[in-house]
Amino acid sequence: MVAGPLERSAPAPLAAAGSRLTVEAVSHAFNIRGAALPVLDRISLDVAPGGFVALLGPSGCGKSTLLRLGAGLEPPGAGRISIDGAGVTGPDPSRLLVFQDPTLYPWRTVQGNVMLGLEARGVARRERAARVEAALRLVGLDGFSEVFPHQLSGGMAQRAALARALVNAPRLLLLDEPLGKLDALTRLSLQAEILRLWQETRFTALLVTHDVEEALVLAERVIVLSDRPAAIRADILVERPYPRHRDDPELVRLRRKILGILGQSI
């Protein structure tokens, strides 16, 4: 079962103006048994506050690595990543990473999972409860606070993961294929939900996906990366109003263009 979209505005505690993400000539490599394996090659990228950018590229090219660097989970090998002009030196609740797997703790209820970050930061109990309630309502899970992860569908578990991020009012949301393991209908539903959440809260979004149509339906810009080590091959502006339709001739044209850049047939 999948909770349906809501027609509610974002509660004030969860609203946050988006941050500007700036990536300047970032290169990165992994150390594999003493040998360097390059994964990023002088990536430069600017995402405006409140913008929505999608990253497309071959599997293993370094897309997820770029998100990890943006989240501050590790420093880049070369170059600089900054948020609103300040260099990223480590993790921060104002910028959060949502993974493909919801990674919910099975022994905690939905409410307990969503409030983890607030607990870690020492937020007062009353405020925690109010913010968790607001976050669950925002993602369509009000009424499921006492449910355990094994009782949720895949789509509902991913909604809980989104609520766990949104409860911290992030200014930058890094989305690492969050819908990649969902069935087609649930994926379409959650695409609409992510778009609604972004429009209501105006966080800055950087989405990694392998789905060209998903990128074109959600993002204002689509960045196409090369094979590893990833370099930017194209930066495509999607100038179509929301909500978008997959059979829109302009989106069909852009899809053909992107697939051509990636060297794939339709």
Side-chain angles (χ1 to χ4, degrees):
M1 55 182 173
V2 177
L6 297 183
E7 299 296 331
R8 297 175 180 172
S9 297
L14 304 182
S19 289
R20 178 177 293 277
L21 169 66
T22 306
V23 180
E24 301 173 89
V26 165
S27 295
H28 197 68
F30 294 132
N31 189 321
I32 307 295
R33 297 180 181 178
L37 177 67
V39 290
L40 299 174
D41 182 21
R42 293 178 296 175
I43 298 287
S44 291
L45 172 66
D46 184 72
V47 184
F52 198 133
V53 173
L55 296 176
L56 286 169
S59 295
C61 74
K63 301 183 297 296
S64 296
T65 298
L66 184 57
L67 291 197
R68 290 179 57 82
L69 300 182
L73 299 183
E74 56 185 297
R80 183 174 188 264
I81 298 179
S82 60
I83 304 293
D84 296 326
V88 172
T89 58
D92 189 281
S94 68
R95 55 181 184 276
L96 293 173
L97 183 55
V98 177
F99 298 97
Q100 187 177 79
D101 294 308
T103 60
L104 302 174
Y105 289 115
W107 59 87
R108 297 189 67 139
T109 63
V110 167
Q111 180 187 60
N113 272 282
V114 172
M115 71 169 51
L116 274 170
L118 302 180
E119 286 180 352
R121 288 157 50 203
V123 175
R125 181 176 299 179
R126 181 174 295 181
E127 183 181 350
R128 287 203 311 261
R131 291 179 66 165
V132 169
E133 181 183 359
L136 292 178
R137 187 165 60 248
L138 185 63
V139 301
L141 286 181
D142 44 333
F144 290 87
S145 61
E146 299 305 316
V147 169
F148 285 90
H150 75 272
Q151 298 171 299
L152 300 175
S153 69
M156 293 176 76
Q158 198 56 274
R159 286 174 188 253
L162 286 168
R164 184 174 55 192
L166 293 171
V167 77
N168 295 284
R171 294 166 61 89
L172 171 63
L173 200 57
L174 302 157
L175 301 158
D176 192 3
E177 292 194 81
L179 313 182
K181 292 187 176 180
L182 301 177
D183 64 84
L185 291 178
T186 303
R187 184 166 188 151
L188 290 175
S189 173
L190 282 220
Q191 285 173 3
E193 286 294 284
I194 287 174
L195 180 61
R196 179 181 64 83
L197 293 171
W198 169 64
Q199 291 175 322
E200 291 184 359
T201 63
R202 299 313 296 187
F203 52 77
T204 302
L206 186 60
L207 167 73
V208 163
T209 179
H210 283 99
D211 187 327
V212 176
E213 288 188 346
E214 182 170 275
L216 291 172
V217 165
L218 294 178
E220 298 172 303
R221 289 165 57 202
V222 177
I223 307 296
V224 183
L225 300 177
S226 68
D227 206 347
R228 190 182 66 242
I232 293 178
R233 298 187 62 186
D235 186 342
I236 298 169
L237 188 63
V238 187
E239 297 182 288
R240 301 300 294 157
Y242 295 104
R244 294 172 180 164
H245 304 284
R246 286 163 170 75
D247 58 355
D248 180 327
E250 176 61 10
L251 295 192
V252 172
R253 184 188 72 81
L254 290 176
R255 178 176 179 268
R256 289 176 178 271
K257 178 178 180 178
I258 291 169
L259 289 174
I261 294 169
L262 291 170
Q264 300 178 30
S265 58
I266 298 175

